[in-house]
Amino acid sequence: MAITFGMVKDRERNRGRLKEEYAKFVGRKVLFITLSVLIIVALAGVAATLGSANLSVKEVYTAILAKFLPQYFHSTWFSETIVWGLRLHRIIMGIVAGMGLAIAGAAMQGILKNPLASPFTLGIASAAGFGASLAIIMGAGFVGGEYLIIGNAFVFSLLASLTVYGLAKYKGITPETMILAGIAIMYLFSAMTSFLQYVGQSEQVHEVVFWMMGSLGRSSWDKVKIVTAVTVLCLPYLLLKSWDINAMGAGDETAKSLGVNVERTRVICMMLASLITAAVICFTGTIGFIGLVAPHITRMVVGGDHRFLLPASALVGAILLLGADSIARTILAPVILPVGIMTSFLGVPFFIYLFLRRRKEFW
Amino acid sequence: MVKITISDLSFSYRSRKILDDLNLEVRCSEVLGLVGPNGSGKTTLLKCIDQILKPKGSLLLNGREIGEMSRQEIARFIGYVPQSNTSSSSTTVFDIILMGRRPYMGWRVGESDLDKVAEIVDLLDLDDLAMKDFNELSGGQKQKVLIARAICQEPQVLLLDEPTSNLDMKHQLEVLEIVRDLVKEKGISAVMAIHDLNLASRFGDKLAVLLGGSIYAAGDPRSLLNKELIRTVYGVEALVVKDLDKPYIVPMRSLNGRSAG
């Protein structure tokens, strides 16, 4: 009897220890997320000091806080105008766009179970490029005025993912059918873009090429609001489905046996990821790399649990894009490089470093 | 008490009939071994029971038609241990087992879910592996983890697809002992597809022999397994030793003329 009692106590202690270990394991991920938020706040402050008008980090934060808490913080008209009028919307756009692309990438990699998947896997980028080219070269589009290029890029992006969905639906919604359909669509749209470039005039072609490089230079508060709204609306569903995406990583059949409605979850996640991507790139142009690599960098640190991977990827994406844009603005000042060029220059060495340093398999 | 009642169950893939008019019953505290040659429909039957595939016919769980149950409800009733065991991204053993709570929890993991996982990790002696990456485990360890995940679903029925393939002798016995003990202790039922007739005979309370998508014979292994059955079903000449509690089969030679040595 005494032995049995001792064993029971042992078991209890053992189970307690296991739960503690798991709590620590989760704690490390929460710490990473917290640190990432702090880095973004700091980076945003520093980014707002960059530019021809000299402002200190303190002046920047005072100008930001003065808007929300005027009774405590007092800023000058000059620094407020520079920060709020010129710089901050670009910075916030960088953060939100980075977040959106990274979440979309993480979700795509999860539901397609493919490390090479990105927000652009379903042909969205080349469709957006075609939409923009159509607007720039032919002047044709769905909406007029300032939103001609934006509207085209957005509509064609969604058209691409709907087509992929349609094709995949016909053959069964599996990662393979979706990826293959995506590649087909991608080539179709890039061929059409090439055709437009062939018939276009050289200034127009130049504009198209510049659009496709991706830039935060076209941002404004209105655009920031739209991108933020779309991202914020889509995020909760993706987060809520974290467990289902995790289960799908173990195979569709396992996921089904765990109670996941695999096809529906895959389609809805894909549509939301596409929507976020379309909303971002129609304003920024195709900023590649972030959506592919931010989730990988994050996965190496926090592991493959999408409950943490999705939000943490978002933050890493924001850091990467904001960091890249800050460097793109200063490295050849007063020339501002398109951020799309910089993201790869900055991110690839970092990614390769992590990739080589990490011994454990992360995918 | 009867757990699963299968009546007139058929399944076709395109125009090819894989399962043809099956009738089967599984009772509480019973391990049913599904045996039969390759391609006889064992895995398909397991997938039909779990509704991963949608068969024709009737399938009752505790007297309730499974077609009327939601995916979530089925997941609370049936735990499925698949044959392939890969995970596409890095996941700890603890998280894999925690996934078994998916049918019960939302985004947040409750204290009771963690308790359940810790209990099962402890029960199956997986403590030292709990924080390891699933993909780094050996075949036997992976199999145990997948069984742990299925148990974490607190199922009434456990379905296992070739739980002993790729395992060494010790792990084969260990895995099957775990399944048998669970079935007896918790009064649940298990259906396992298994190639090894001796393990099937030893651990199965009942065997169902599948041949070409139909049940060729079913019953207690003691009365079921004999030379004629093995010859007809497998095309193999075998000795059936009946000295032990359960029959023991020694395959001698295949009947297309070659000697087994």
Side-chain angles (χ1 to χ4, degrees):
Chain A
M1 195 63 205
I3 295 171
T4 324
F5 182 68
M7 274 175 69
V8 169
K9 277 219 107 162
D10 255 11
R11 301 223 108 153
E12 260 169 30
R13 201 177 311 137
N14 209 2
R15 288 169 192 184
R17 194 179 51 79
L18 259 173
K19 278 168 62 189
E20 255 171 49
E21 226 175 297
Y22 188 72
K24 261 190 220 157
F25 174 73
V26 169
R28 279 198 293 273
K29 298 176 185 184
V30 175
L31 181 70
F32 177 79
I33 290 176
T34 318
L35 281 177
S36 301
V37 172
L38 294 178
I39 290 174
I40 291 175
V41 172
L43 201 57
V46 174
T49 65
L50 304 173
S52 47
N54 268 323
L55 288 180
S56 71
V57 176
K58 193 175 161 218
E59 281 171 301
V60 166
Y61 281 122
T62 315
I64 294 171
L65 291 168
K67 187 100 170 178
F68 299 109
L69 303 162
Q71 59 272 48
Y72 300 108
F73 295 93
H74 303 285
S75 178
T76 62
W77 174 85
F78 176 73
S79 53
E80 258 186 56
T81 309
I82 297 283
V83 170
W84 283 95
L86 293 175
R87 293 181 186 166
L88 203 56
H89 61 77
R90 182 188 181 121
I91 289 168
I92 304 281
M93 185 60 130
I95 293 173
V96 182
M99 284 182 152
L101 290 172
I103 289 174
M108 284 289 190
Q109 288 172 3
I111 56 168
L112 297 178
K113 292 187 284 180
N114 192 313
L116 293 177
S118 79
F120 302 158
T121 305
L122 303 178
I124 294 173
S126 69
F130 174 73
S133 307
L134 203 62
I136 294 166
I137 295 172
M138 312 295 276
F142 297 95
V143 280
E146 194 201 352
Y147 281 83
L148 176 69
I149 299 174
I150 296 165
N152 260 19
F154 183 77
V155 171
F156 277 97
S157 305
L158 289 188
L159 209 62
S161 52
L162 282 173
T163 313
V164 169
Y165 166 65
L167 289 172
K169 177 113 186 113
Y170 184 69
K171 281 290 286 177
I173 308 208
T174 62
E176 292 77 20
T177 56
M178 288 168 83
I179 290 170
L180 287 175
I183 288 175
I185 294 300
M186 184 193 82
Y187 276 109
L188 179 66
F189 278 113
S190 34
M192 294 199 290
T193 308
S194 298
F195 174 74
L196 285 180
Q197 289 180 335
Y198 186 73
V199 299
Q201 284 156 15
S202 66
E203 312 88 71
Q204 297 169 333
V205 174
H206 185 263
E207 204 188 328
V208 169
V209 171
F210 188 76
W211 186 89
M212 289 208 261
M213 280 176 191
S215 162
L216 296 175
R218 297 182 283 266
S219 76
S220 70
W221 281 114
D222 282 342
K223 294 172 183 172
V224 167
K225 279 180 203 155
I226 297 174
V227 180
T228 311
V230 172
T231 310
V232 167
L233 281 176
C234 295
L235 191 59
Y237 183 85
L238 291 174
L239 281 178
L240 201 68
K241 290 288 166 186
S242 302
W243 275 114
D244 293 6
I245 301 176
N246 288 348
M248 278 151 68
D252 284 9
E253 289 181 353
T254 300
K256 274 186 196 170
S257 76
L258 289 168
V260 179
N261 193 330
V262 173
E263 295 210 338
R264 198 177 63 193
T265 305
R266 183 168 284 138
V267 167
I268 297 178
C269 287
M270 162 202 149
M271 283 300 167
L272 292 182
S274 302
L275 188 62
I276 295 175
T277 311
V280 170
I281 65 175
C282 70
F283 293 118
T284 64
T286 46
I287 300 176
F289 188 75
I290 299 267
L292 174 70
V293 158
H296 280 297
I297 291 172
T298 316
R299 197 177 285 109
M300 285 187 243
V301 184
V302 303
D305 183 348
H306 287 81
R307 285 180 302 154
F308 302 100
L309 181 63
L310 289 173
S313 292
L315 299 172
V316 170
I319 293 172
L320 278 180
L321 190 52
L322 186 55
D325 189 51
S326 305
I327 295 174
R329 280 163 55 200
T330 48
I331 195 161
L332 289 177
V335 176
I336 297 177
L337 286 176
V339 70
I341 297 176
M342 220 50 230
T343 46
S344 303
F345 276 141
L346 183 78
V348 170
F350 181 53
F351 176 63
I352 290 178
Y353 163 73
L354 279 173
F355 181 70
L356 293 177
R357 204 191 57 136
R358 179 98 183 179
R359 264 180 240 105
K360 243 170 63 171
E361 261 182 68
F362 62 91
W363 176 265
Chain B
M1 206 182 116
V2 183
K3 264 279 140 75
I4 314 175
T5 316
I6 297 171
S7 358
D8 305 328
L9 185 120
S10 302
F11 179 79
S12 306
Y13 184 71
R14 304 243 161 106
S15 60
R16 207 159 66 89
K17 210 153 205 178
I18 314 267
L19 296 177
D20 195 7
D21 261 350
L22 295 192
N23 291 285
L24 205 61
E25 244 181 40
V26 188
R27 300 176 161 274
C28 290
S29 306
E30 189 174 71
V31 177
L32 172 73
L34 288 179
V35 297
N38 287 334
S40 57
K42 301 187 293 289
T43 300
T44 308
L45 176 54
L46 290 181
K47 286 181 185 168
C48 285
I49 296 176
D50 200 15
Q51 298 289 291
I52 292 171
L53 300 173
K54 302 271 183 231
K56 289 201 184 94
S58 151
L59 218 159
L60 304 178
L61 294 177
N62 273 356
R64 232 183 114 196
E65 187 59 55
I66 198 170
E68 290 160 11
M69 295 164 77
S70 68
R71 252 300 17 132
Q72 186 102 338
E73 278 179 278
I74 297 170
R76 289 178 190 180
F77 206 99
I78 299 178
Y80 178 62
V81 183
Q83 194 177 3
S84 64
N85 43 18
T86 49
S87 172
S88 68
S89 62
S90 81
T91 316
T92 60
V93 167
F94 198 98
D95 277 326
I96 293 259
I97 301 174
L98 186 56
M99 226 181 260
R101 301 304 295 166
R102 156 72 183 67
Y104 298 93
M105 61 188 184
W107 186 86
R108 226 183 73 80
V109 178
E111 197 63 22
S112 63
D113 297 313
L114 291 175
D115 282 332
K116 193 83 210 159
V117 176
E119 181 195 322
I120 289 163
V121 165
D122 190 38
L123 195 74
L124 299 192
D125 277 328
L126 291 166
D127 308 56
D128 296 337
L129 305 177
M131 288 300 146
K132 283 220 170 108
D133 196 318
F134 179 75
N135 288 326
E136 291 170 11
L137 305 186
S138 74
Q141 292 168 333
K142 279 184 182 169
Q143 196 67 50
K144 268 170 85 174
V145 172
L146 294 186
I147 292 177
R149 180 179 67 200
I151 299 169
C152 211
Q153 283 171 254
E154 297 180 275
Q156 298 284 311
V157 175
L158 208 52
L159 304 177
L160 303 112
D161 195 0
E162 299 286 351
T164 56
S165 60
N166 305 323
L167 300 191
D168 63 33
M169 211 189 287
K170 180 175 179 284
H171 281 103
Q172 288 185 355
L173 291 177
E174 195 184 342
V175 161
L176 292 179
E177 279 161 8
I178 289 170
V179 172
R180 184 186 56 195
D181 293 350
L182 270 165
V183 165
K184 303 295 171 209
E185 268 169 38
K186 303 201 184 250
I188 63 175
S189 314
V191 182
M192 58 178 180
I194 185 162
H195 264 304
D196 189 318
L197 281 179
N198 290 320
L199 289 174
S201 146
R202 187 156 153 193
F203 287 93
D205 300 300
K206 199 166 93 178
L207 297 186
V209 185
L210 282 166
L211 183 63
S214 309
I215 292 180
Y216 178 78
D220 189 303
R222 292 181 192 87
S223 52
L224 190 74
L225 293 174
N226 56 48
K227 273 172 119 166
E228 291 69 46
L229 179 125
I230 291 163
R231 190 185 304 130
T232 323
V233 173
Y234 290 95
V236 166
E237 198 72 60
L239 280 180
V240 179
V241 183
K242 298 224 169 180
D243 300 345
L244 305 160
D245 168 44
K246 296 270 187 86
Y248 187 83
I249 289 110
V250 185
M252 300 306 283
R253 58 186 192 90
S254 70
L255 283 174
N256 55 13
R258 283 188 205 148
S259 164

